[in-house]
Amino acid sequence: MIRSPLRRYPPAGAVDVVVIGAGHAGLAMSRCLAERSIDHVVLERGETANSWRHERWDSLRLLTPNWQSRLPGYAYRGADPDGYMSASDVVDFIDGYSRFIGAPVRTHTTVTSVVAEGCGYRVATDRGEWRCRAVVLASGAHGLPAVPAAAEALPKSVTALTPKTYRNPSQLDDGGVLVVGASASGLQLADEVQRSGRRVILAVGEHIRLPRVYRGLDIQWWLDAVGILDERYDEVDDIVRARRVPSPQLAGTPERATLDLNALTERGVELVGRLVGVTDGKAQFSGSLRNHCAMADLKLARLLERIDQWAADHGDGPAFAPPERFAETRVEGSPRLNIDLARERISTVIFATGFRPDFSWLHVPVFDHKGRLRHDGGVVAAPGLYVLGLNFMRRRKSSFIHGAEDDVRELSAHLDAGLRVAGGGHVPRRAVG
Ligand SMILES: Cc1cc2nc3c(=O)[nH]c(=O)nc-3n(C[C@H](O)[C@H](O)[C@H](O)COP(=O)(O)OP(=O)(O)OC[C@H]3O[C@@H](n4cnc5c(N)ncnc54)[C@H](O)[C@@H]3O)c2cc1C
């Protein structure tokens, strides 16, 4: 166990670094700060792994296999490396990590504001104030559901849910369900609700199609091996766009079955295009369904070619099953462009349309005109301020559990160097890793 230099914690006070959030990312940073003997505290509004305790639906399983769950100095050691953790397994994993590293976590401490002060920051909480030289924002990329404006226009008779408020089919009113968004969450929820016996319509926009297993191995194995998950933010052509790419259509089930639009169509889910608005009780969908599906099929074909090339370059042979190709996504006749919610007895709309971070308490001028945090691979545009866990933050894998390790190693080195700068504590802002 690595002991933090902070052995007895005062109610609040001065410390070199405040880490906000005790999810896996904040704890991984804590471990790296402790390795460097940097005095720090981790402030957590709930308990460790809070979002996995309170913000996930009941049946959720990771889409990343167990062998891939690793954090600095720690890895999955259970009996089922190819399985997929439930949310409570993830809580145990993160709790175990927190104990293993002896993280200086202050639970039930909500950060209410962060302001610049002198050469550092003042961090106000509901349990007193902290002064520090650096702050790490590890409060999560999925703080708030990103719900489209159309939700405002839903009739009062329709219940709007998000993946944060949906728990299981038993909470739903009678009637059909419109799921908006066909990435990992939307697909999994559409599948679960359909299996519960309700009618489901799925509004499909841009999406990433992946098979669960390719050539006998989990697709995550291939993405890892080929180096796709390690691609860096400063190597891609359009990082703004890359950061908007939705999560892949994957589900972690014991059968390791592929969950794609074809599988849902076979089970009776109706596909429509992207939701563009709601007017007079009618949901309107774009005519882009076929294009979005064709694009996802094309991207999948390109990915499989890249994987096959990598396999050929690495000896191919009996180690890998032969290359496979998958049926293109079926789009029935003319997908409907609008649906009268009352006439179709749609009682619930689930907006699985993504998330955005909640930095409403961060009162430092580090946001662009769209309200996005300005950062260079996690080094925020203010001295001594860092962020973790955002989409494609430093690497394609940055927002995943296994993505934290490389990021926190590099960012803690940068932070350490900044703290060592003589006479101030202003952390240099560029060139990490
Ligand atoms: C539905 C879903 C499925 C996912 N599936 C996978 C998967 O299969 N595999 C994978 O690797 N990743 C997955 N992820 C992505 C990622 O691993 C999780 O989002 C993970 O929870 C992010 O970890 P984090 O430490 O960055 O943030 P979080 O786990 O969200 O931790 C942030 C912590 O900060 C605390 N906090 C927030 N605001 C404050 C405040 N003001 N004051 C004090 N504390 C605060 C929160 O309570 C929380 O505990 C999934 C994410 C979602 C949403």
Side-chain angles (χ1 to χ4, degrees), residues 20-26 43-52 55-57 60-64 94 109-112 138-142 163 185 355 358 361 388-389 399-402:
I20 302 172
H24 76 264
L43 304 180
E44 167 55 54
R45 66 181 169 191
E47 297 162 73
T48 54
N50 207 50
S51 56
W52 294 101
E55 297 176 7
R56 307 285 188 257
W57 62 93
L60 180 126
R61 285 192 174 268
L62 291 190
L63 53 79
T64 43
I94 295 175
T109 304
T110 302
V111 170
T112 52
S139 49
H142 306 101
S185 301
F355 301 89
D358 179 8
W361 35 264
L388 296 175
S399 60
F400 291 94
I401 293 171
H402 63 101

Side-chain angles (χ1 to χ4, degrees), residues 163-241:
K164 276 181 185 273
T165 51
Y166 171 86
R167 286 290 166 271
N168 58 57
S170 72
Q171 93 194 82
L172 304 177
D173 298 328
D174 287 343
V177 177
L178 169 64
V179 178
V180 183
S183 293
S185 301
L187 242 70
Q188 292 175 34
L189 298 187
D191 187 38
E192 174 164 290
V193 174
Q194 173 79 21
R195 285 172 188 271
S196 76
R198 288 178 175 73
R199 190 158 78 85
V200 174
I201 299 170
L202 178 62
V204 180
E206 184 186 346
H207 57 275
I208 304 293
R209 182 182 178 196
L210 289 182
R212 178 72 270 177
V213 174
Y214 183 62
R215 299 185 66 176
L217 292 164
D218 195 293
I219 191 69
Q220 291 288 346
W221 186 90
W222 290 107
L223 299 178
D224 218 7
V226 175
I228 291 169
L229 299 173
D230 285 325
E231 283 166 1
R232 286 178 57 100
Y233 76 111
D234 45 9
E235 288 169 357
V236 294
D237 290 341
D238 183 352
I239 186 60
V240 175
R241 165 134 187 81

Side-chain angles (χ1 to χ4, degrees), residues 17-23 26-27 30 40-44 103-107:
V17 182
V18 167
V19 178
I20 302 172
L27 294 170
S30 173
H40 69 282
V41 66
V42 182
L43 304 180
E44 167 55 54
V105 181
R106 295 294 189 94
T107 54

